[in-house]
């Protein structure tokens, strides 16, 4: 019977009068010496993801040492906590009970002192306490099972990543000591080239950059799209608090478990949506089935809530108690929230690209949030800081005079608490040298985060805008509190909110899943298809057929396409995307011709930088970053004010002028010549005769001349990445401004018909740029907290539990 079924499978090919499409790609000649386990990879999703993680985590040694210390860290927390609860006599430690020192060898003067060994119980008494508590024994058994499970995964990771190490050395020709010198784009280029020699994917002769991104970000693109279309229930309406966004690592983990890789998930494997979810006939039945799966997940979370909550509290205490004692103000620092990372993430944007972009936006976002200060709160904070600081100064002076003051009961506690109070209250006191410029600061934030609601424009000085940005850029204390209460709230969100979304989720996966040859089922938004998912209000009018339901919100399709094209200059976009890019290029050129000259804008960036920076030399160190805050680039969609007696000009034309000049100033034309043009589609590329073939827009050479000094100091690849980031930042400003102008014109306001008056150049010799990279500020160091991380992690945990990569026959699409 099995032979008959196999015969029928082979007979299918005879139904074609001609060779079936793609048959020529199935017969592959494998060159001698390349017959290795990397030929015909069984699961390219896991394989490419591990290659990416291997590169980002700096190789085999760093990854394995990190895995080892995670095991040790878990073992330490469990052991140390058990010891503190069962092996310490706290009455003796707190001197509530006297200790009988009868040892004659002890100095009589020291017999009244309590030492640590006095408070620690003997080992046999400690074991008796543990054995007498069935609850502790149960917890220890559960911890041991989890630790053994983690140990097995670590052993599996060692074997799998050793194979990845061999792949880097043998196939990609990258030695481990040189790995840190290669960017991901360079590794990706070698992967694309290797596919032509050694068929890792047998269903496509050549891989593209987009194929690799699709495989690494298959599930993340779905998650980004569901957040963009408000499918996931992350907005809660609470009494007295109003609408609150709640998304934690635990809740996100449950979403992914239910939808993507859990036992009742919608995907039948890592790359294919189950066929029954692609049919509309049984959508109601599938919604009921998904509702039951969500209910079971919610009940499981409810049962495990005590264990997870205890673990979260313990890990938070061990991780943050010392930090709060040493730096109380660290809780007042901010971080990009998990929701913010999904809301601001482009389709097909890798973790390191997102982290670098948000890292650049950290400093202007923090300055914008800190620029809002309550006068009443500032007065109260000054007085509380004065009284607390006075008492603290006296206590410190007494301890300096006589250290025996520290032996007084609670004196050290008082010093610690007063120090925390002084630090916290001073964070509410505004800087007396701060200049109030919210529009410029918010424009700097937009330049890096690329997304913001329309109503933020011209409303940067409103507290409502600040509160909405605070949902994306939250306090670290809020992050810790949300993660601590997550085990309690997550079950109720799953049971009462996510279940109500079951039918909407089923429809979303059916309507927005497409099958790509050689890749499998992916989210259709990840294709960045302007015709199918473009928004007419974002420069794609007349080029898209998408309904309101099919359109991506906030211009995410258009901005994601621009971001991916700039980051991957060798990628050839499809025809519809090429038309959109060509249209945008032509519009930038038109606005650049009527806008102010770049030399004029550069000559005025010193003032802009001085207004926004605490450092006196910031204007000379980074004028390009300050360009984002130029008054001509911060006008709220209307003709700008007469600033320094300049003629009126629109923000869009000013941004186009800078964008055109920056795009014409590529630091290494030879290195960019392989792409011919950063944003021009194939067959449409043309370059001005007076410029290199790699330039994107026809413009003056102002930025080229001013960047000659920095180009000689920076490494070429790093400089190209900074140029790409700056170019995308200017595109984001320009596209948002044109979108605002189009919205105004539709409402009868000032439209695009108003042509700005070109400005004459100022004769200034102060336009030399010392550095072309936008101002960068990295967020604080990541710190693991009880199974959840401060920074978003990849899907490596889930992938590690999958089958091995090696296989002779490919089962992928």
């Amino acid at each position: 019977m099995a032979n008959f079924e196999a015969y029928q499978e082979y007979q299918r090919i005879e139904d074609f009068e001609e060779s079936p499409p793609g048959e020529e790609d199935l017969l592959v000649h494998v060159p001698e010496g390349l017959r290795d386990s990397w030929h015909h990879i069984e699961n390219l999703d896991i394989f490419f993801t591990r290659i990416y993680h291997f590169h980002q985590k700096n190789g085999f040694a760093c990854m394995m040492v990190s895995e080892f210390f995670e095991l040790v860290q878990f073992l330490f927390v469990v052991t140390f906590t058990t010891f503190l609860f069962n092996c310490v006599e706290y009455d003796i430690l707190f001197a509530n009970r006297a200790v009988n020192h009868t040892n004659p060898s002890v100095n009589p003067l020291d017999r009244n002192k309590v030492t640590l060994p006095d408070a620690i119980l003997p080992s046999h008494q400690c074991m008796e306490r543990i054995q007498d508590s069935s609850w502790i024994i149960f917890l220890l058994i559960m911890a041991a099972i989890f630790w053994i499970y983690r140990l097995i995964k670590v052993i599996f990771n060692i074997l799998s990543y050793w194979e990845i190490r061999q792949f880097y050395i043998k196939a990609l020709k990258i030695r481990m000591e040189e790995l840190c010198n290669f960017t991901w784009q360079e590794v990706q280029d070698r992967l694309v080239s290797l596919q032509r020699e050694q068929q890792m994917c047998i269903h496509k002769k050549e891989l593209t950059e987009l194929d690799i991104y699709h495989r690494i970000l298959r599930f993340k693109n779905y998650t980004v799209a569901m957040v963009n279309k408000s499918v996931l229930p992350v907005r809660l309406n609470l009494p007295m608090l109003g609408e609150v966004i709640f998304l934690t690592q635990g809740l996100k983990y449950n979403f992914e478990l239910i939808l993507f890789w859990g036992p009742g998930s919608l995907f039948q494997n890592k790359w294919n949506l189950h066929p029954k979810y692609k049919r509309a006939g049984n959508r109601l039945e599938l919604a009921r089935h998904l509702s039951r799966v969500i209910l079971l997940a919610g009940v499981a979370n409810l049962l495990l809530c005590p264990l997870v909550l205890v673990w979260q509290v313990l890990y938070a205490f061990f991780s943050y108690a010392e930090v709060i004692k040493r730096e109380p103000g660290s809780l007042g620092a901010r971080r990009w929230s998990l929701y913010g990372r999904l809301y601001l993430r482009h389709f097909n944007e890798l973790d390191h690209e997102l982290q670098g972009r948000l890292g650049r936006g950290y400093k202007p976002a923090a300055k914008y949030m800190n620029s809002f200060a309550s006068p009443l709160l500032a007065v109260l904070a000054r007085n509380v800081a004065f009284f607390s600081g006075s008492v603290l100064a006296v206590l410190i002076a007494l301890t300096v005079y006589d250290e025996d003051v520290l032996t007084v009961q609670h004196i050290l506690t008082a010093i610690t608490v007063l120090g925390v109070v002084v630090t916290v209250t001073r964070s509410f006191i505004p800087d007396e040298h701060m200049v109030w410029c919210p529009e410029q600061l918010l424009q700097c934030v937009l330049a890096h985060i690329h997304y913001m609601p329309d109503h933020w424009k011209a409303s940067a000085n409103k507290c409502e805008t600040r509160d909405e940005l605070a949902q994306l850029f939250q306090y670290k204390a809020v992050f810790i509190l949300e993660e601590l209460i997550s085990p309690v709230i997550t079950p109720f969100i799953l049971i009462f909110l996510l279940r109500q979304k079951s039918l909407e989720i089923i429809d979303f996966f059916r309507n927005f899943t497409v099958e790509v040859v050689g890749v499998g089922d992916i989210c259709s938004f990840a294709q960045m298809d302007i015709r199918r998912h473009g928004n007419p209000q974002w420069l794609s009018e007349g080029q898209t057929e998408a309904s309101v339901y099919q359109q991506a919100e906030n211009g995410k399709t258009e901005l994601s396409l621009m971001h991916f094209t700039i980051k991957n200059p060798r990628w050839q976009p499809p025809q519809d995307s090429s038309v959109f890019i060509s249209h945008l290029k032509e519009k930038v050129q038109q606005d650049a011709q009527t806008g102010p000259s770049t030399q004029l804008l550069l000559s005025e960036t010193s003032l802009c930088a001085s207004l926004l920076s605490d450092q006196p030399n910031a204007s000379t160190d980074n004028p390009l970053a300050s360009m984002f805050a130029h008054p001509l680039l911060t006008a709220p969609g209307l003709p700008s004010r007469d600033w320094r007696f300049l003629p009126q000009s629109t923000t869009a034309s000013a941004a186009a002028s800078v964008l055109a000049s920056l795009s014409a100033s590529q630091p290494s034309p030879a290195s960019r010549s392989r792409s011919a043009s950063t944003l021009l589609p194939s067959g449409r590329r043309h370059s001005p005769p007076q410029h290199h073939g790699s330039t994107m827009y026809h413009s003056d050479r102002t930025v080229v001349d001013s960047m000659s000094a920095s180009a000689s100091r920076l490494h070429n690849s790093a400089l190209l990445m900074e140029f790409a980031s700056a170019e995308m930042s200017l595109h984001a400003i320009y596209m948002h401004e044109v979108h605002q102008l189009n919205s105004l014109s539709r409402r009868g306001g000032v439209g695009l018909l108003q042509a700005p008056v070109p400005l004459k150049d100022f004769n200034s010799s102060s336009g030399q740029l010392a550095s072309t990279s936008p101002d960068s500020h990295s967020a604080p160091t990541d710190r693991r907290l009880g199974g959840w991380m401060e920074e978003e992690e990849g899907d490596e945990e889930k992938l590690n539990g999958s089958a091995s990569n090696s296989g002779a026959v490919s089962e992928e699409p």
Side-chain angles (χ1 to χ4, degrees), residues 473-722:
F473 196 56
Q474 63 184 177
Y475 283 115
K476 184 176 290 187
V478 175
F479 162 76
I480 296 174
L481 180 62
E482 287 183 350
E483 293 293 344
L484 288 177
I485 65 176
S486 177
V488 179
I489 298 180
T490 295
F492 297 99
I493 293 179
L494 297 178
I495 296 174
F496 297 106
L497 297 181
L498 186 62
R499 289 181 63 204
Q500 299 178 2
K501 294 271 190 176
S502 297
L503 183 59
E504 188 176 351
I505 292 173
I506 295 297
D507 290 339
F508 177 88
F509 277 89
R510 184 185 70 255
N511 295 327
F512 299 116
T513 295
V514 294
E515 182 178 356
V516 178
V517 177
V519 177
D521 292 335
I522 64 170
C523 181
S524 60
F525 286 103
Q527 287 288 86
M528 301 173 295
D529 189 348
I530 297 297
R531 180 182 59 84
R532 183 172 181 178
H533 296 301
N535 193 322
Q537 298 182 5
W538 287 84
L539 296 172
S540 58
E541 187 172 7
Q543 304 173 36
T544 179
E545 303 172 358
S547 62
V548 176
Y549 176 69
Q550 295 172 326
Q551 296 169 4
E553 306 298 329
N554 301 316
K556 188 170 283 287
T557 300
E558 291 79 5
L559 287 167
S560 298
L561 174 62
M562 296 303 303
H563 179 267
F564 189 84
T565 308
I566 291 174
K567 289 292 185 181
N568 299 273
R570 290 187 178 184
W571 178 65
Q572 299 295 329
Q575 180 63 30
D576 294 328
S577 300
S578 299
V579 172
F580 170 79
I581 295 172
S582 179
H583 170 72
L584 177 61
K585 165 192 168 291
E586 294 171 358
K587 183 162 186 56
V588 168
Q589 287 182 335
Q590 291 176 358
D591 289 344
Q593 292 174 359
T594 58
S597 68
T598 309
Q599 182 178 358
L600 171 62
L601 296 176
L602 286 174
S603 65
E604 303 296 342
T605 55
S606 299
L607 175 60
C608 304
S610 64
L611 289 175
L612 300 176
S613 179
D614 299 330
Q615 302 175 359
N617 296 327
S619 60
T620 59
D621 290 343
N622 206 341
L624 186 58
S626 64
M627 179 71 71
F628 302 144
H630 196 285
L632 288 177
L633 295 180
T634 56
L638 297 172
S640 63
R641 296 162 292 179
D642 289 338
W643 183 75
R644 295 290 303 274
F645 305 104
L646 298 181
Q648 289 186 339
S649 175
T650 62
T651 308
S653 60
S657 179
V658 182
L659 177 61
S661 191
L662 176 65
S663 301
S665 58
Q666 305 298 338
S668 178
S671 65
R672 304 284 288 186
S673 60
R674 60 176 179 260
S675 62
S677 175
T678 307
L679 291 180
L680 290 184
S682 177
R684 292 176 177 255
R685 291 173 178 158
H686 60 279
S687 57
Q690 68 270 34
H691 297 294
H692 295 283
S694 63
T695 58
M696 182 176 128
Y697 300 113
H698 177 80
S699 144
D700 58 71
R701 299 288 291 179
T702 305
V703 181
V704 179
D705 299 334
S706 61
M707 290 180 178
S708 58
S710 62
S712 62
R713 292 198 307 269
L714 298 178
H715 190 271
N716 186 45
S717 60
L719 186 61
L720 287 176
M721 289 190 294
E722 295 298 340

Side-chain angles (χ1 to χ4, degrees), residues 408-430:
V408 178
Q409 190 176 18
H410 300 312
I411 193 67
L412 188 59
T413 303
I415 293 176
T416 303
V417 172
L418 289 172
V420 172
V421 171
V422 170
T423 304
V424 172
T425 52
R426 285 181 177 174
S427 65
F428 293 101
I429 302 175

Side-chain angles (χ1 to χ4, degrees), residues 437-496:
C437 47
E439 286 290 345
Q440 285 86 345
L441 285 171
L442 191 59
Q443 188 77 322
C444 286
V445 176
L446 173 62
H448 299 296
I449 67 175
H450 300 170
Y451 294 98
M452 74 176 191
D454 293 343
H455 61 271
W456 286 11
K457 194 70 173 178
S459 301
N461 59 336
K462 295 182 179 180
C463 293
E464 291 80 2
T465 303
R466 179 189 183 276
D467 294 339
E468 292 182 14
L469 181 58
Q471 295 176 338
L472 310 178
F473 196 56
Q474 63 184 177
Y475 283 115
K476 184 176 290 187
V478 175
F479 162 76
I480 296 174
L481 180 62
E482 287 183 350
E483 293 293 344
L484 288 177
I485 65 176
S486 177
V488 179
I489 298 180
T490 295
F492 297 99
I493 293 179
L494 297 178
I495 296 174
F496 297 106

Side-chain angles (χ1 to χ4, degrees), residues 81 97 105 164 166 169 204 246 252 259 338 348 439 456 486-487 490 504 516 570 653 693 739 768-769 805:
T81 304
R97 191 174 67 186
S105 63
I164 299 298
Q166 298 301 107
I169 296 174
K204 294 188 73 173
F246 185 84
K252 177 174 173 286
L259 299 177
L338 182 56
N348 303 308
E439 286 290 345
W456 286 11
S486 177
T490 295
E504 188 176 351
V516 178
R570 290 187 178 184
S653 60
H739 165 67
Q768 297 295 326
L769 294 183
N805 288 339

Side-chain angles (χ1 to χ4, degrees), residues 336 354-364 448 775-779:
W336 296 103
L354 175 68
Q355 181 61 29
R357 184 163 60 85
L358 296 185
R360 291 184 176 92
Y362 182 91
K363 194 171 184 177
H448 299 296
D775 194 11
S776 177
H777 182 83
S778 300

